[in-house]
Coordinates of all heavy atoms in Angstrom, one line a residue:
D1 N 10.1 3.1 -1.0 CA 10.1 1.7 -0.5 C 10.2 1.7 1.0 O 10.4 0.6 1.6 CB 11.3 1.0 -1.1 CG 11.2 0.7 -2.5 OD1 10.0 0.4 -3.0 OD2 12.2 0.7 -3.3
N2 N 10.0 2.9 1.7 CA 9.9 2.8 3.1 C 8.6 2.0 3.5 O 7.6 2.1 2.8 CB 9.7 4.3 3.7 CG 11.0 5.0 3.7 OD1 12.0 4.5 3.1 ND2 10.9 6.3 4.1
I3 N 8.6 1.3 4.6 CA 7.4 0.6 5.1 C 6.4 1.6 5.6 O 6.7 2.4 6.4 CB 7.8 -0.4 6.1 CG1 8.7 -1.5 5.5 CG2 6.5 -1.0 6.7 CD1 9.2 -2.5 6.5
A4 N 5.2 1.5 5.1 CA 4.1 2.4 5.6 C 3.3 1.6 6.6 O 3.0 2.2 7.8 CB 3.2 2.8 4.4
L5 N 2.8 0.4 6.4 CA 2.0 -0.4 7.1 C 2.5 -1.8 7.3 O 3.1 -2.3 6.3 CB 0.5 -0.4 6.6 CG -0.1 0.9 6.3 CD1 -1.5 0.6 5.6 CD2 -0.4 1.7 7.6
I6 N 2.3 -2.4 8.4 CA 2.8 -3.8 8.5 C 1.9 -4.5 9.6 O 1.4 -3.9 10.6 CB 4.2 -3.8 9.1 CG1 4.8 -5.3 9.2 CG2 4.4 -3.1 10.4 CD1 6.2 -5.4 9.5
S7 N 1.5 -5.7 9.2 CA 0.7 -6.6 10.1 C 1.0 -8.0 9.9 O 1.7 -8.4 9.0 CB -0.9 -6.4 9.8 OG -1.2 -7.0 8.7
N8 N 0.6 -8.8 10.9 CA 0.9 -10.3 10.8 C 0.3 -10.9 9.6 O 0.8 -11.9 9.0 CB 0.5 -11.0 12.1 CG 1.4 -10.6 13.2 OD1 2.6 -10.2 13.1 ND2 0.9 -10.8 14.5
S9 N -0.9 -10.4 9.1 CA -1.6 -11.0 8.1 C -1.1 -10.5 6.7 O -1.2 -11.3 5.7 CB -3.1 -10.7 8.3 OG -3.4 -9.3 8.2
T10 N -0.6 -9.4 6.6 CA -0.2 -8.8 5.3 C 1.2 -8.8 5.1 O 1.8 -8.7 4.0 CB -0.7 -7.4 5.1 OG1 -0.1 -6.5 6.1 CG2 -2.2 -7.4 5.2
G11 N 2.0 -8.7 6.2 CA 3.5 -8.4 6.1 C 3.7 -7.0 5.8 O 2.7 -6.2 5.9
P12 N 4.9 -6.6 5.4 CA 5.2 -5.1 5.3 C 4.5 -4.6 4.0 O 4.5 -5.3 2.9 CB 6.6 -5.1 5.2 CG 7.1 -6.4 4.9 CD 6.1 -7.4 5.3
I13 N 4.0 -3.4 4.0 CA 3.4 -2.7 2.9 C 4.1 -1.4 2.7 O 4.1 -0.6 3.6 CB 1.9 -2.4 3.0 CG1 1.1 -3.8 3.2 CG2 1.3 -1.6 1.9 CD1 -0.3 -3.7 3.7
T14 N 4.9 -1.3 1.6 CA 5.7 0.0 1.4 C 4.7 1.1 0.9 O 3.6 0.9 0.6 CB 6.7 -0.3 0.3 OG1 6.1 -0.5 -1.0 CG2 7.6 -1.4 0.6
Y15 N 5.3 2.3 0.9 CA 4.5 3.4 0.4 C 4.2 3.2 -1.1 O 3.1 3.6 -1.4 CB 5.3 4.7 0.6 CG 5.1 5.2 2.1 CD1 5.9 4.9 3.1 CD2 4.0 6.1 2.4 CE1 5.7 5.3 4.4 CE2 3.7 6.5 3.6 CZ 4.6 6.1 4.7 OH 4.4 6.6 6.0
N16 N 5.1 2.6 -1.8 CA 4.7 2.3 -3.2 C 3.6 1.3 -3.3 O 2.7 1.5 -4.1 CB 5.9 1.7 -4.0 CG 7.0 2.7 -4.2 OD1 6.7 3.9 -4.4 ND2 8.3 2.3 -4.4
N17 N 3.5 0.3 -2.5 CA 2.4 -0.7 -2.4 C 1.1 0.1 -2.0 O 0.1 -0.2 -2.6 CB 2.7 -1.8 -1.4 CG 3.8 -2.6 -1.7 OD1 4.5 -3.1 -0.7 ND2 4.3 -2.8 -2.9
L18 N 1.2 1.0 -1.0 CA 0.1 1.8 -0.6 C -0.5 2.7 -1.7 O -1.7 2.7 -1.9 CB 0.6 2.7 0.6 CG -0.5 3.6 1.2 CD1 -1.7 2.8 1.7 CD2 0.1 4.5 2.4
I19 N 0.4 3.3 -2.5 CA -0.1 4.1 -3.6 C -0.8 3.3 -4.6 O -1.8 3.7 -5.2 CB 1.2 4.8 -4.3 CG1 1.7 5.9 -3.3 CG2 0.7 5.5 -5.6 CD1 0.9 7.0 -2.9
E20 N -0.4 2.0 -4.9 CA -1.0 1.2 -5.8 C -2.4 0.9 -5.4 O -3.4 0.9 -6.2 CB -0.2 -0.1 -5.9 CG 1.1 -0.1 -6.6 CD 1.9 -1.3 -6.6 OE1 1.5 -2.4 -6.1 OE2 3.1 -1.3 -7.1
K21 N -2.6 0.6 -4.1 CA -3.9 0.3 -3.5 C -4.9 1.6 -3.6 O -6.0 1.4 -3.9 CB -3.8 -0.2 -2.0 CG -3.0 -1.4 -1.8 CD -3.6 -2.7 -2.5 CE -2.9 -3.9 -2.2 NZ -3.5 -5.1 -2.9
I22 N -4.2 2.7 -3.3 CA -5.0 3.9 -3.3 C -5.5 4.2 -4.8 O -6.7 4.6 -4.9 CB -4.1 5.1 -2.9 CG1 -3.9 5.1 -1.3 CG2 -4.6 6.5 -3.3 CD1 -2.9 6.0 -0.8
N23 N -4.7 3.9 -5.8 CA -5.1 4.0 -7.2 C -6.1 3.1 -7.6 O -7.0 3.4 -8.4 CB -3.9 4.0 -8.1 CG -2.9 5.1 -8.0 OD1 -3.3 6.2 -7.5 ND2 -1.7 5.0 -8.3
I24 N -6.1 2.0 -7.1 CA -7.2 0.9 -7.3 C -8.6 1.5 -6.7 O -9.6 1.5 -7.5 CB -7.0 -0.4 -6.6 CG1 -5.8 -1.1 -7.3 CG2 -8.2 -1.3 -6.7 CD1 -5.3 -2.3 -6.7
I25 N -8.5 2.0 -5.6 CA -9.7 2.6 -5.0 C -10.2 3.9 -5.7 O -11.4 4.0 -6.0 CB -9.5 2.9 -3.5 CG1 -9.2 1.7 -2.7 CG2 -10.7 3.7 -2.9 CD1 -8.8 1.9 -1.2
K26 N -9.3 4.7 -6.2 CA -9.6 5.9 -6.9 C -10.3 5.6 -8.2 O -11.2 6.3 -8.7 CB -8.3 6.7 -7.3 CG -8.4 8.0 -7.9 CD -7.1 8.7 -8.1 CE -7.3 10.1 -8.8 NZ -6.0 10.8 -8.9
K27 N -9.9 4.4 -8.9 CA -10.7 4.1 -10.1 C -12.1 3.7 -9.9 O -13.0 3.8 -10.8 CB -9.9 2.8 -10.7 CG -8.6 3.1 -11.3 CD -7.9 1.9 -11.9 CE -6.5 2.2 -12.5 NZ -5.9 1.0 -12.9
N28 N -12.4 3.3 -8.6 CA -13.8 2.9 -8.3 C -14.7 4.0 -7.6 O -15.9 4.0 -7.7 CB -13.7 1.7 -7.4 CG -13.3 0.4 -8.1 OD1 -14.1 -0.2 -8.8 ND2 -12.1 0.0 -7.9

């Protein structure tokens, strides 16, 4: 749950969130 990325448009993205996005890309 550490914050990995943060921006004004997305808000904070945790490492768990990042892994979820990585897995979506991996499926494609």
Side-chain angles (χ1 to χ4, degrees):
D1 290 326
N2 288 3
I3 294 173
L5 306 171
I6 182 169
S7 74
N8 287 337
S9 60
T10 63
I13 297 169
T14 68
Y15 278 90
N16 284 338
N17 299 146
L18 179 58
I19 294 296
E20 289 173 4
K21 299 294 185 186
I22 288 171
N23 288 337
I24 289 172
I25 296 174
K26 186 176 183 179
K27 290 178 181 178
N28 288 285

